[in-house]
PDB file of all heavy atoms in Angstrom:
ATOM      1  N   VAL Y  22    -167.408  31.531 -89.950  1.00 78.00           N
ATOM      2  CA  VAL Y  22    -168.061  32.110 -91.121  1.00 78.00           C
ATOM      3  C   VAL Y  22    -168.398  33.579 -90.902  1.00 78.00           C
ATOM      4  O   VAL Y  22    -168.223  34.421 -91.787  1.00 78.00           O
ATOM      5  CB  VAL Y  22    -169.343  31.317 -91.458  1.00 78.00           C
ATOM      6  CG1 VAL Y  22    -170.082  31.963 -92.628  1.00 78.00           C
ATOM      7  CG2 VAL Y  22    -168.996  29.866 -91.771  1.00 78.00           C
ATOM      8  N   LYS Y  23    -168.863  33.915 -89.701  1.00 81.00           N
ATOM      9  CA  LYS Y  23    -169.245  35.307 -89.435  1.00 81.00           C
ATOM     10  C   LYS Y  23    -168.043  36.239 -89.518  1.00 81.00           C
ATOM     11  O   LYS Y  23    -168.133  37.333 -90.075  1.00 81.00           O
ATOM     12  CB  LYS Y  23    -169.893  35.413 -88.056  1.00 81.00           C
ATOM     13  CG  LYS Y  23    -171.270  34.767 -87.964  1.00 81.00           C
ATOM     14  CD  LYS Y  23    -171.898  35.007 -86.598  1.00 81.00           C
ATOM     15  CE  LYS Y  23    -173.291  34.398 -86.519  1.00 81.00           C
ATOM     16  NZ  LYS Y  23    -173.916  34.615 -85.196  1.00 81.00           N
ATOM     17  N   ALA Y  24    -166.916  35.798 -88.958  1.00 80.00           N
ATOM     18  CA  ALA Y  24    -165.716  36.638 -89.007  1.00 80.00           C
ATOM     19  C   ALA Y  24    -165.199  36.758 -90.436  1.00 80.00           C
ATOM     20  O   ALA Y  24    -164.705  37.816 -90.843  1.00 80.00           O
ATOM     21  CB  ALA Y  24    -164.632  36.046 -88.110  1.00 80.00           C
ATOM     22  N   PHE Y  25    -165.317  35.663 -91.214  1.00 81.00           N
ATOM     23  CA  PHE Y  25    -164.914  35.717 -92.623  1.00 81.00           C
ATOM     24  C   PHE Y  25    -165.760  36.734 -93.383  1.00 81.00           C
ATOM     25  O   PHE Y  25    -165.244  37.559 -94.140  1.00 81.00           O
ATOM     26  CB  PHE Y  25    -165.055  34.326 -93.255  1.00 81.00           C
ATOM     27  CG  PHE Y  25    -164.711  34.282 -94.712  1.00 81.00           C
ATOM     28  CD1 PHE Y  25    -163.399  34.117 -95.127  1.00 81.00           C
ATOM     29  CD2 PHE Y  25    -165.698  34.414 -95.680  1.00 81.00           C
ATOM     30  CE1 PHE Y  25    -163.077  34.079 -96.470  1.00 81.00           C
ATOM     31  CE2 PHE Y  25    -165.385  34.385 -97.029  1.00 81.00           C
ATOM     32  CZ  PHE Y  25    -164.071  34.209 -97.422  1.00 81.00           C
ATOM     33  N   ALA Y  26    -167.079  36.694 -93.167  1.00 85.00           N
ATOM     34  CA  ALA Y  26    -167.978  37.635 -93.826  1.00 85.00           C
ATOM     35  C   ALA Y  26    -167.697  39.065 -93.376  1.00 85.00           C
ATOM     36  O   ALA Y  26    -167.732  40.004 -94.177  1.00 85.00           O
ATOM     37  CB  ALA Y  26    -169.428  37.261 -93.539  1.00 85.00           C
ATOM     38  N   ALA Y  27    -167.384  39.229 -92.084  1.00 85.00           N
ATOM     39  CA  ALA Y  27    -167.091  40.568 -91.563  1.00 85.00           C
ATOM     40  C   ALA Y  27    -165.809  41.128 -92.181  1.00 85.00           C
ATOM     41  O   ALA Y  27    -165.740  42.308 -92.523  1.00 85.00           O
ATOM     42  CB  ALA Y  27    -166.966  40.522 -90.047  1.00 85.00           C
ATOM     43  N   SER Y  28    -164.793  40.270 -92.322  1.00 83.00           N
ATOM     44  CA  SER Y  28    -163.535  40.711 -92.932  1.00 83.00           C
ATOM     45  C   SER Y  28    -163.747  41.104 -94.390  1.00 83.00           C
ATOM     46  O   SER Y  28    -163.234  42.129 -94.856  1.00 83.00           O
ATOM     47  CB  SER Y  28    -162.490  39.604 -92.836  1.00 83.00           C
ATOM     48  OG  SER Y  28    -162.195  39.298 -91.491  1.00 83.00           O
ATOM     49  N   LEU Y  29    -164.513  40.282 -95.119  1.00 85.00           N
ATOM     50  CA  LEU Y  29    -164.788  40.575 -96.521  1.00 85.00           C
ATOM     51  C   LEU Y  29    -165.599  41.857 -96.655  1.00 85.00           C
ATOM     52  O   LEU Y  29    -165.325  42.693 -97.534  1.00 85.00           O
ATOM     53  CB  LEU Y  29    -165.539  39.400 -97.159  1.00 85.00           C
ATOM     54  CG  LEU Y  29    -165.748  39.467 -98.674  1.00 85.00           C
ATOM     55  CD1 LEU Y  29    -164.406  39.534 -99.396  1.00 85.00           C
ATOM     56  CD2 LEU Y  29    -166.544  38.265 -99.155  1.00 85.00           C
ATOM     57  N   ALA Y  30    -166.581  42.033 -95.765  1.00 88.00           N
ATOM     58  CA  ALA Y  30    -167.380  43.254 -95.791  1.00 88.00           C
ATOM     59  C   ALA Y  30    -166.528  44.479 -95.485  1.00 88.00           C
ATOM     60  O   ALA Y  30    -166.709  45.549 -96.081  1.00 88.00           O
ATOM     61  CB  ALA Y  30    -168.528  43.142 -94.788  1.00 88.00           C
ATOM     62  N   GLY Y  31    -165.569  44.321 -94.546  1.00 86.00           N
ATOM     63  CA  GLY Y  31    -164.672  45.425 -94.225  1.00 86.00           C
ATOM     64  C   GLY Y  31    -163.813  45.828 -95.412  1.00 86.00           C
ATOM     65  O   GLY Y  31    -163.594  47.018 -95.668  1.00 86.00           O
ATOM     66  N   ILE Y  32    -163.323  44.826 -96.163  1.00 84.00           N
ATOM     67  CA  ILE Y  32    -162.520  45.110 -97.353  1.00 84.00           C
ATOM     68  C   ILE Y  32    -163.339  45.872 -98.394  1.00 84.00           C
ATOM     69  O   ILE Y  32    -162.902  46.887 -98.939  1.00 84.00           O
ATOM     70  CB  ILE Y  32    -161.974  43.802 -97.954  1.00 84.00           C
ATOM     71  CG1 ILE Y  32    -160.931  43.178 -97.022  1.00 84.00           C
ATOM     72  CG2 ILE Y  32    -161.356  44.057 -99.333  1.00 84.00           C
ATOM     73  CD1 ILE Y  32    -160.437  41.832 -97.480  1.00 84.00           C
ATOM     74  N   LEU Y  33    -164.558  45.377 -98.666  1.00 87.00           N
ATOM     75  CA  LEU Y  33    -165.405  46.016 -99.680  1.00 87.00           C
ATOM     76  C   LEU Y  33    -165.813  47.426 -99.262  1.00 87.00           C
ATOM     77  O   LEU Y  33    -165.785  48.361-100.080  1.00 87.00           O
ATOM     78  CB  LEU Y  33    -166.645  45.161 -99.928  1.00 87.00           C
ATOM     79  CG  LEU Y  33    -166.395  43.778-100.538  1.00 87.00           C
ATOM     80  CD1 LEU Y  33    -167.699  43.005-100.657  1.00 87.00           C
ATOM     81  CD2 LEU Y  33    -165.717  43.903-101.891  1.00 87.00           C
ATOM     82  N   LEU Y  34    -166.170  47.587 -97.978  1.00 89.00           N
ATOM     83  CA  LEU Y  34    -166.555  48.914 -97.492  1.00 89.00           C
ATOM     84  C   LEU Y  34    -165.359  49.859 -97.514  1.00 89.00           C
ATOM     85  O   LEU Y  34    -165.482  51.028 -97.897  1.00 89.00           O
ATOM     86  CB  LEU Y  34    -167.109  48.808 -96.072  1.00 89.00           C
ATOM     87  CG  LEU Y  34    -167.546  50.124 -95.411  1.00 89.00           C
ATOM     88  CD1 LEU Y  34    -168.626  50.803 -96.242  1.00 89.00           C
ATOM     89  CD2 LEU Y  34    -168.045  49.875 -93.987  1.00 89.00           C
ATOM     90  N   GLY Y  35    -164.181  49.336 -97.129  1.00 83.00           N
ATOM     91  CA  GLY Y  35    -162.974  50.152 -97.163  1.00 83.00           C
ATOM     92  C   GLY Y  35    -162.641  50.625 -98.566  1.00 83.00           C
ATOM     93  O   GLY Y  35    -162.301  51.794 -98.789  1.00 83.00           O
ATOM     94  N   LEU Y  36    -162.750  49.713 -99.542  1.00 81.00           N
ATOM     95  CA  LEU Y  36    -162.494  50.078-100.938  1.00 81.00           C
ATOM     96  C   LEU Y  36    -163.479  51.138-101.416  1.00 81.00           C
ATOM     97  O   LEU Y  36    -163.107  52.093-102.115  1.00 81.00           O
ATOM     98  CB  LEU Y  36    -162.578  48.842-101.832  1.00 81.00           C
ATOM     99  CG  LEU Y  36    -161.454  47.815-101.697  1.00 81.00           C
ATOM    100  CD1 LEU Y  36    -161.737  46.600-102.573  1.00 81.00           C
ATOM    101  CD2 LEU Y  36    -160.106  48.433-102.071  1.00 81.00           C
ATOM    102  N   GLY Y  37    -164.746  50.955-101.025  1.00 84.00           N
ATOM    103  CA  GLY Y  37    -165.752  51.933-101.420  1.00 84.00           C
ATOM    104  C   GLY Y  37    -165.470  53.317-100.856  1.00 84.00           C
ATOM    105  O   GLY Y  37    -165.580  54.323-101.569  1.00 84.00           O
ATOM    106  N   LEU Y  38    -165.088  53.377 -99.589  1.00 84.00           N
ATOM    107  CA  LEU Y  38    -164.757  54.662 -98.977  1.00 84.00           C
ATOM    108  C   LEU Y  38    -163.521  55.288 -99.610  1.00 84.00           C
ATOM    109  O   LEU Y  38    -163.443  56.504 -99.779  1.00 84.00           O
ATOM    110  CB  LEU Y  38    -164.545  54.481 -97.470  1.00 84.00           C
ATOM    111  CG  LEU Y  38    -165.787  54.136 -96.646  1.00 84.00           C
ATOM    112  CD1 LEU Y  38    -165.410  53.928 -95.184  1.00 84.00           C
ATOM    113  CD2 LEU Y  38    -166.841  55.223 -96.757  1.00 84.00           C
ATOM    114  N   LEU Y  39    -162.533  54.440 -99.967  1.00 75.00           N
ATOM    115  CA  LEU Y  39    -161.325  54.948-100.617  1.00 75.00           C
ATOM    116  C   LEU Y  39    -161.651  55.583-101.968  1.00 75.00           C
ATOM    117  O   LEU Y  39    -161.167  56.671-102.299  1.00 75.00           O
ATOM    118  CB  LEU Y  39    -160.311  53.823-100.802  1.00 75.00           C
ATOM    119  CG  LEU Y  39    -159.572  53.343 -99.554  1.00 75.00           C
ATOM    120  CD1 LEU Y  39    -158.731  52.112 -99.879  1.00 75.00           C
ATOM    121  CD2 LEU Y  39    -158.698  54.437 -98.976  1.00 75.00           C
ATOM    122  N   VAL Y  40    -162.465  54.884-102.756  1.00 75.00           N
ATOM    123  CA  VAL Y  40    -162.822  55.402-104.083  1.00 75.00           C
ATOM    124  C   VAL Y  40    -163.616  56.702-103.953  1.00 75.00           C
ATOM    125  O   VAL Y  40    -163.331  57.693-104.639  1.00 75.00           O
ATOM    126  CB  VAL Y  40    -163.626  54.353-104.870  1.00 75.00           C
ATOM    127  CG1 VAL Y  40    -164.141  54.948-106.177  1.00 75.00           C
ATOM    128  CG2 VAL Y  40    -162.764  53.133-105.157  1.00 75.00           C
ATOM    129  N   LEU Y  41    -164.619  56.709-103.063  1.00 82.00           N
ATOM    130  CA  LEU Y  41    -165.444  57.912-102.888  1.00 82.00           C
ATOM    131  C   LEU Y  41    -164.620  59.057-102.324  1.00 82.00           C
ATOM    132  O   LEU Y  41    -164.724  60.204-102.782  1.00 82.00           O
ATOM    133  CB  LEU Y  41    -166.616  57.593-101.953  1.00 82.00           C
ATOM    134  CG  LEU Y  41    -167.592  58.753-101.682  1.00 82.00           C
ATOM    135  CD1 LEU Y  41    -168.245  59.206-102.981  1.00 82.00           C
ATOM    136  CD2 LEU Y  41    -168.666  58.321-100.674  1.00 82.00           C
ATOM    137  N   GLY Y  42    -163.769  58.756-101.335  1.00 76.00           N
ATOM    138  CA  GLY Y  42    -162.937  59.803-100.750  1.00 76.00           C
ATOM    139  C   GLY Y  42    -161.971  60.408-101.752  1.00 76.00           C
ATOM    140  O   GLY Y  42    -161.798  61.628-101.811  1.00 76.00           O
ATOM    141  N   ALA Y  43    -161.342  59.547-102.569  1.00 68.00           N
ATOM    142  CA  ALA Y  43    -160.419  60.050-103.585  1.00 68.00           C
ATOM    143  C   ALA Y  43    -161.155  60.901-104.618  1.00 68.00           C
ATOM    144  O   ALA Y  43    -160.641  61.931-105.069  1.00 68.00           O
ATOM    145  CB  ALA Y  43    -159.717  58.881-104.267  1.00 68.00           C
ATOM    146  N   ARG Y  44    -162.371  60.476-104.968  1.00 72.00           N
ATOM    147  CA  ARG Y  44    -163.151  61.238-105.951  1.00 72.00           C
ATOM    148  C   ARG Y  44    -163.473  62.629-105.433  1.00 72.00           C
ATOM    149  O   ARG Y  44    -163.337  63.626-106.153  1.00 72.00           O
ATOM    150  CB  ARG Y  44    -164.435  60.477-106.277  1.00 72.00           C
ATOM    151  CG  ARG Y  44    -165.323  61.169-107.295  1.00 72.00           C
ATOM    152  CD  ARG Y  44    -166.558  60.359-107.593  1.00 72.00           C
ATOM    153  NE  ARG Y  44    -167.408  61.023-108.565  1.00 72.00           N
ATOM    154  CZ  ARG Y  44    -168.575  60.547-108.997  1.00 72.00           C
ATOM    155  NH1 ARG Y  44    -169.001  59.380-108.534  1.00 72.00           N
ATOM    156  NH2 ARG Y  44    -169.294  61.212-109.863  1.00 72.00           N
ATOM    157  N   TRP Y  45    -163.914  62.710-104.178  1.00 79.00           N
ATOM    158  CA  TRP Y  45    -164.237  64.012-103.603  1.00 79.00           C
ATOM    159  C   TRP Y  45    -162.998  64.888-103.481  1.00 79.00           C
ATOM    160  O   TRP Y  45    -163.043  66.084-103.777  1.00 79.00           O
ATOM    161  CB  TRP Y  45    -164.869  63.824-102.226  1.00 79.00           C
ATOM    162  CG  TRP Y  45    -166.287  63.347-102.279  1.00 79.00           C
ATOM    163  CD1 TRP Y  45    -166.974  62.956-103.390  1.00 79.00           C
ATOM    164  CD2 TRP Y  45    -167.188  63.214-101.184  1.00 79.00           C
ATOM    165  NE1 TRP Y  45    -168.246  62.574-103.051  1.00 79.00           N
ATOM    166  CE2 TRP Y  45    -168.411  62.719-101.707  1.00 79.00           C
ATOM    167  CE3 TRP Y  45    -167.083  63.441 -99.816  1.00 79.00           C
ATOM    168  CZ2 TRP Y  45    -169.512  62.466-100.899  1.00 79.00           C
ATOM    169  CZ3 TRP Y  45    -168.187  63.191 -99.004  1.00 79.00           C
ATOM    170  CH2 TRP Y  45    -169.391  62.716 -99.538  1.00 79.00           C
ATOM    171  N   LEU Y  46    -161.900  64.269-103.052  1.00 69.00           N
ATOM    172  CA  LEU Y  46    -160.680  65.044-102.864  1.00 69.00           C
ATOM    173  C   LEU Y  46    -160.156  65.583-104.192  1.00 69.00           C
ATOM    174  O   LEU Y  46    -159.798  66.759-104.312  1.00 69.00           O
ATOM    175  CB  LEU Y  46    -159.614  64.185-102.191  1.00 69.00           C
ATOM    176  CG  LEU Y  46    -158.277  64.862-101.926  1.00 69.00           C
ATOM    177  CD1 LEU Y  46    -158.454  66.051-100.988  1.00 69.00           C
ATOM    178  CD2 LEU Y  46    -157.287  63.882-101.342  1.00 69.00           C
ATOM    179  N   VAL Y  47    -160.103  64.720-105.206  1.00 67.00           N
ATOM    180  CA  VAL Y  47    -159.611  65.142-106.521  1.00 67.00           C
ATOM    181  C   VAL Y  47    -160.530  66.194-107.126  1.00 67.00           C
ATOM    182  O   VAL Y  47    -160.076  67.178-107.716  1.00 67.00           O
ATOM    183  CB  VAL Y  47    -159.478  63.929-107.462  1.00 67.00           C
ATOM    184  CG1 VAL Y  47    -159.181  64.387-108.892  1.00 67.00           C
ATOM    185  CG2 VAL Y  47    -158.385  63.007-106.977  1.00 67.00           C
ATOM    186  N   SER Y  48    -161.848  65.993-106.977  1.00 73.00           N
ATOM    187  CA  SER Y  48    -162.805  66.953-107.531  1.00 73.00           C
ATOM    188  C   SER Y  48    -162.613  68.334-106.921  1.00 73.00           C
ATOM    189  O   SER Y  48    -162.538  69.342-107.633  1.00 73.00           O
ATOM    190  CB  SER Y  48    -164.229  66.455-107.278  1.00 73.00           C
ATOM    191  OG  SER Y  48    -165.175  67.413-107.707  1.00 73.00           O
ATOM    192  N   GLY Y  49    -162.517  68.376-105.586  1.00 74.00           N
ATOM    193  CA  GLY Y  49    -162.336  69.661-104.923  1.00 74.00           C
ATOM    194  C   GLY Y  49    -161.007  70.310-105.250  1.00 74.00           C
ATOM    195  O   GLY Y  49    -160.940  71.510-105.543  1.00 74.00           O
ATOM    196  N   ALA Y  50    -159.934  69.517-105.241  1.00 66.00           N
ATOM    197  CA  ALA Y  50    -158.598  70.060-105.512  1.00 66.00           C
ATOM    198  C   ALA Y  50    -158.469  70.524-106.960  1.00 66.00           C
ATOM    199  O   ALA Y  50    -157.872  71.577-107.236  1.00 66.00           O
ATOM    200  CB  ALA Y  50    -157.541  69.003-105.202  1.00 66.00           C
ATOM    201  N   SER Y  51    -159.017  69.745-107.896  1.00 68.00           N
ATOM    202  CA  SER Y  51    -158.919  70.110-109.314  1.00 68.00           C
ATOM    203  C   SER Y  51    -159.679  71.398-109.600  1.00 68.00           C
ATOM    204  O   SER Y  51    -159.222  72.249-110.376  1.00 68.00           O
ATOM    205  CB  SER Y  51    -159.460  68.974-110.186  1.00 68.00           C
ATOM    206  OG  SER Y  51    -158.687  67.813-110.024  1.00 68.00           O
ATOM    207  N   GLU Y  52    -160.850  71.545-108.982  1.00 75.00           N
ATOM    208  CA  GLU Y  52    -161.638  72.754-109.200  1.00 75.00           C
ATOM    209  C   GLU Y  52    -160.899  73.978-108.664  1.00 75.00           C
ATOM    210  O   GLU Y  52    -160.882  75.041-109.310  1.00 75.00           O
ATOM    211  CB  GLU Y  52    -162.997  72.615-108.519  1.00 75.00           C
ATOM    212  CG  GLU Y  52    -163.925  73.803-108.734  1.00 75.00           C
ATOM    213  CD  GLU Y  52    -164.239  74.031-110.199  1.00 75.00           C
ATOM    214  OE1 GLU Y  52    -164.285  73.048-110.969  1.00 75.00           O
ATOM    215  OE2 GLU Y  52    -164.418  75.212-110.578  1.00 75.00           O
ATOM    216  N   MET Y  53    -160.266  73.830-107.499  1.00 69.00           N
ATOM    217  CA  MET Y  53    -159.493  74.953-106.966  1.00 69.00           C
ATOM    218  C   MET Y  53    -158.306  75.286-107.866  1.00 69.00           C
ATOM    219  O   MET Y  53    -157.967  76.453-108.054  1.00 69.00           O
ATOM    220  CB  MET Y  53    -159.011  74.620-105.547  1.00 69.00           C
ATOM    221  CG  MET Y  53    -160.114  74.650-104.495  1.00 69.00           C
ATOM    222  SD  MET Y  53    -159.500  74.470-102.796  1.00 69.00           S
ATOM    223  CE  MET Y  53    -158.989  72.755-102.792  1.00 69.00           C
ATOM    224  N   ALA Y  54    -157.678  74.232-108.444  1.00 69.00           N
ATOM    225  CA  ALA Y  54    -156.537  74.468-109.327  1.00 69.00           C
ATOM    226  C   ALA Y  54    -156.960  75.198-110.592  1.00 69.00           C
ATOM    227  O   ALA Y  54    -156.265  76.111-111.068  1.00 69.00           O
ATOM    228  CB  ALA Y  54    -155.875  73.134-109.680  1.00 69.00           C
ATOM    229  N   ARG Y  55    -158.102  74.804-111.160  1.00 73.00           N
ATOM    230  CA  ARG Y  55    -158.563  75.441-112.396  1.00 73.00           C
ATOM    231  C   ARG Y  55    -158.893  76.911-112.171  1.00 73.00           C
ATOM    232  O   ARG Y  55    -158.770  77.730-113.080  1.00 73.00           O
ATOM    233  CB  ARG Y  55    -159.788  74.702-112.943  1.00 73.00           C
ATOM    234  CG  ARG Y  55    -159.459  73.331-113.518  1.00 73.00           C
ATOM    235  CD  ARG Y  55    -160.653  72.737-114.283  1.00 73.00           C
ATOM    236  NE  ARG Y  55    -160.304  71.437-114.814  1.00 73.00           N
ATOM    237  CZ  ARG Y  55    -160.539  70.290-114.201  1.00 73.00           C
ATOM    238  NH1 ARG Y  55    -161.104  70.299-113.006  1.00 73.00           N
ATOM    239  NH2 ARG Y  55    -160.208  69.142-114.755  1.00 73.00           N
ATOM    240  N   GLN Y  56    -159.319  77.236-110.969  1.00 75.00           N
ATOM    241  CA  GLN Y  56    -159.616  78.633-110.658  1.00 75.00           C
ATOM    242  C   GLN Y  56    -158.356  79.488-110.724  1.00 75.00           C
ATOM    243  O   GLN Y  56    -158.435  80.699-110.927  1.00 75.00           O
ATOM    244  CB  GLN Y  56    -160.264  78.738-109.278  1.00 75.00           C
ATOM    245  CG  GLN Y  56    -161.659  78.124-109.206  1.00 75.00           C
ATOM    246  CD  GLN Y  56    -162.228  78.134-107.803  1.00 75.00           C
ATOM    247  OE1 GLN Y  56    -161.605  78.623-106.864  1.00 75.00           O
ATOM    248  NE2 GLN Y  56    -163.441  77.594-107.650  1.00 75.00           N
ATOM    249  N   PHE Y  57    -157.189  78.838-110.565  1.00 74.00           N
ATOM    250  CA  PHE Y  57    -155.915  79.555-110.656  1.00 74.00           C
ATOM    251  C   PHE Y  57    -155.265  79.411-112.033  1.00 74.00           C
ATOM    252  O   PHE Y  57    -154.117  79.802-112.229  1.00 74.00           O
ATOM    253  CB  PHE Y  57    -154.952  79.053-109.577  1.00 74.00           C
ATOM    254  CG  PHE Y  57    -155.339  79.476-108.189  1.00 74.00           C
ATOM    255  CD1 PHE Y  57    -156.085  78.622-107.377  1.00 74.00           C
ATOM    256  CD2 PHE Y  57    -154.984  80.719-107.695  1.00 74.00           C
ATOM    257  CE1 PHE Y  57    -156.455  78.998-106.094  1.00 74.00           C
ATOM    258  CE2 PHE Y  57    -155.345  81.101-106.413  1.00 74.00           C
ATOM    259  CZ  PHE Y  57    -156.093  80.250-105.612  1.00 74.00           C
ATOM    260  N   GLY Y  58    -155.983  78.793-113.000  1.00 79.00           N
ATOM    261  CA  GLY Y  58    -155.489  78.693-114.367  1.00 79.00           C
ATOM    262  C   GLY Y  58    -154.361  77.700-114.578  1.00 79.00           C
ATOM    263  O   GLY Y  58    -153.504  77.915-115.438  1.00 79.00           O
ATOM    264  N   VAL Y  59    -154.346  76.595-113.826  1.00 76.00           N
ATOM    265  CA  VAL Y  59    -153.300  75.570-113.980  1.00 76.00           C
ATOM    266  C   VAL Y  59    -153.679  74.632-115.116  1.00 76.00           C
ATOM    267  O   VAL Y  59    -154.853  74.283-115.289  1.00 76.00           O
ATOM    268  CB  VAL Y  59    -153.134  74.780-112.659  1.00 76.00           C
ATOM    269  CG1 VAL Y  59    -152.050  73.726-112.786  1.00 76.00           C
ATOM    270  CG2 VAL Y  59    -152.808  75.737-111.523  1.00 76.00           C
ATOM    271  N   SER Y  60    -152.693  74.180-115.926  1.00 75.00           N
ATOM    272  CA  SER Y  60    -152.955  73.324-117.081  1.00 75.00           C
ATOM    273  C   SER Y  60    -153.383  71.926-116.661  1.00 75.00           C
ATOM    274  O   SER Y  60    -153.133  71.486-115.529  1.00 75.00           O
ATOM    275  CB  SER Y  60    -151.702  73.217-117.955  1.00 75.00           C
ATOM    276  OG  SER Y  60    -150.698  72.474-117.290  1.00 75.00           O
ATOM    277  N   GLU Y  61    -154.026  71.194-117.603  1.00 69.00           N
ATOM    278  CA  GLU Y  61    -154.498  69.842-117.318  1.00 69.00           C
ATOM    279  C   GLU Y  61    -153.342  68.888-117.033  1.00 69.00           C
ATOM    280  O   GLU Y  61    -153.437  68.015-116.168  1.00 69.00           O
ATOM    281  CB  GLU Y  61    -155.337  69.306-118.492  1.00 69.00           C
ATOM    282  CG  GLU Y  61    -156.734  69.891-118.569  1.00 69.00           C
ATOM    283  CD  GLU Y  61    -157.608  69.169-119.566  1.00 69.00           C
ATOM    284  OE1 GLU Y  61    -157.067  68.392-120.373  1.00 69.00           O
ATOM    285  OE2 GLU Y  61    -158.840  69.373-119.535  1.00 69.00           O
ATOM    286  N   LEU Y  62    -152.234  69.014-117.781  1.00 76.00           N
ATOM    287  CA  LEU Y  62    -151.092  68.132-117.562  1.00 76.00           C
ATOM    288  C   LEU Y  62    -150.514  68.336-116.162  1.00 76.00           C
ATOM    289  O   LEU Y  62    -150.173  67.375-115.465  1.00 76.00           O
ATOM    290  CB  LEU Y  62    -150.009  68.369-118.622  1.00 76.00           C
ATOM    291  CG  LEU Y  62    -148.747  67.514-118.488  1.00 76.00           C
ATOM    292  CD1 LEU Y  62    -149.095  66.033-118.544  1.00 76.00           C
ATOM    293  CD2 LEU Y  62    -147.734  67.871-119.563  1.00 76.00           C
ATOM    294  N   THR Y  63    -150.407  69.601-115.760  1.00 81.00           N
ATOM    295  CA  THR Y  63    -149.898  69.896-114.424  1.00 81.00           C
ATOM    296  C   THR Y  63    -150.837  69.353-113.357  1.00 81.00           C
ATOM    297  O   THR Y  63    -150.391  68.787-112.348  1.00 81.00           O
ATOM    298  CB  THR Y  63    -149.723  71.417-114.239  1.00 81.00           C
ATOM    299  OG1 THR Y  63    -148.838  71.912-115.250  1.00 81.00           O
ATOM    300  CG2 THR Y  63    -149.135  71.731-112.876  1.00 81.00           C
ATOM    301  N   ILE Y  64    -152.143  69.513-113.576  1.00 76.00           N
ATOM    302  CA  ILE Y  64    -153.119  68.967-112.632  1.00 76.00           C
ATOM    303  C   ILE Y  64    -152.989  67.450-112.552  1.00 76.00           C
ATOM    304  O   ILE Y  64    -153.023  66.861-111.472  1.00 76.00           O
ATOM    305  CB  ILE Y  64    -154.552  69.361-113.053  1.00 76.00           C
ATOM    306  CG1 ILE Y  64    -154.761  70.868-112.901  1.00 76.00           C
ATOM    307  CG2 ILE Y  64    -155.583  68.605-112.219  1.00 76.00           C
ATOM    308  CD1 ILE Y  64    -156.101  71.357-113.405  1.00 76.00           C
ATOM    309  N   GLY Y  65    -152.829  66.804-113.709  1.00 75.00           N
ATOM    310  CA  GLY Y  65    -152.714  65.348-113.733  1.00 75.00           C
ATOM    311  C   GLY Y  65    -151.475  64.847-113.014  1.00 75.00           C
ATOM    312  O   GLY Y  65    -151.523  63.858-112.273  1.00 75.00           O
ATOM    313  N   LEU Y  66    -150.356  65.534-113.232  1.00 80.00           N
ATOM    314  CA  LEU Y  66    -149.087  65.105-112.634  1.00 80.00           C
ATOM    315  C   LEU Y  66    -148.985  65.421-111.152  1.00 80.00           C
ATOM    316  O   LEU Y  66    -148.174  64.821-110.450  1.00 80.00           O
ATOM    317  CB  LEU Y  66    -147.913  65.762-113.369  1.00 80.00           C
ATOM    318  CG  LEU Y  66    -147.526  65.173-114.730  1.00 80.00           C
ATOM    319  CD1 LEU Y  66    -146.568  66.100-115.462  1.00 80.00           C
ATOM    320  CD2 LEU Y  66    -146.910  63.796-114.565  1.00 80.00           C
ATOM    321  N   THR Y  67    -149.781  66.354-110.685  1.00 80.00           N
ATOM    322  CA  THR Y  67    -149.646  66.786-109.285  1.00 80.00           C
ATOM    323  C   THR Y  67    -150.896  66.500-108.466  1.00 80.00           C
ATOM    324  O   THR Y  67    -150.966  65.511-107.747  1.00 80.00           O
ATOM    325  CB  THR Y  67    -149.307  68.281-109.227  1.00 80.00           C
ATOM    326  OG1 THR Y  67    -150.293  69.032-109.958  1.00 80.00           O
ATOM    327  CG2 THR Y  67    -147.931  68.548-109.827  1.00 80.00           C
ATOM    328  N   LEU Y  68    -151.914  67.348-108.589  1.00 76.00           N
ATOM    329  CA  LEU Y  68    -153.083  67.232-107.723  1.00 76.00           C
ATOM    330  C   LEU Y  68    -153.841  65.923-107.927  1.00 76.00           C
ATOM    331  O   LEU Y  68    -154.176  65.234-106.962  1.00 76.00           O
ATOM    332  CB  LEU Y  68    -154.020  68.418-107.953  1.00 76.00           C
ATOM    333  CG  LEU Y  68    -153.528  69.764-107.428  1.00 76.00           C
ATOM    334  CD1 LEU Y  68    -154.503  70.865-107.787  1.00 76.00           C
ATOM    335  CD2 LEU Y  68    -153.365  69.690-105.911  1.00 76.00           C
ATOM    336  N   VAL Y  69    -154.134  65.583-109.202  1.00 76.00           N
ATOM    337  CA  VAL Y  69    -154.879  64.351-109.461  1.00 76.00           C
ATOM    338  C   VAL Y  69    -154.040  63.137-109.086  1.00 76.00           C
ATOM    339  O   VAL Y  69    -154.527  62.192-108.466  1.00 76.00           O
ATOM    340  CB  VAL Y  69    -155.323  64.275-110.934  1.00 76.00           C
ATOM    341  CG1 VAL Y  69    -156.048  62.956-111.207  1.00 76.00           C
ATOM    342  CG2 VAL Y  69    -156.247  65.441-111.266  1.00 76.00           C
TER     343      VAL Y  69
END
């Protein structure tokens, strides 16, 4: 049971870190792109 709970906790924590990491990365990259005047469609197709 303990290993099952640990595996499940690892999955949930991993997903949480993935979502937060992607959010920070996209936020930083998108802001840098907008500073160079790149369109939203281009940002969506590439950086985001």
Side-chain angles (χ1 to χ4, degrees):
V22 176
K23 290 184 178 180
F25 178 85
S28 298
L29 188 60
I32 291 175
L33 295 177
L34 179 59
L36 290 176
L38 291 178
L39 286 173
V40 173
L41 181 61
R44 180 179 180 181
W45 285 7
L46 180 61
V47 171
S48 175
S51 297
E52 182 60 32
M53 287 188 290
R55 289 191 180 94
Q56 292 175 1
F57 289 95
V59 181
S60 69
E61 284 190 346
L62 179 59
T63 302
I64 292 175
L66 283 168
T67 55
L68 289 177
V69 178

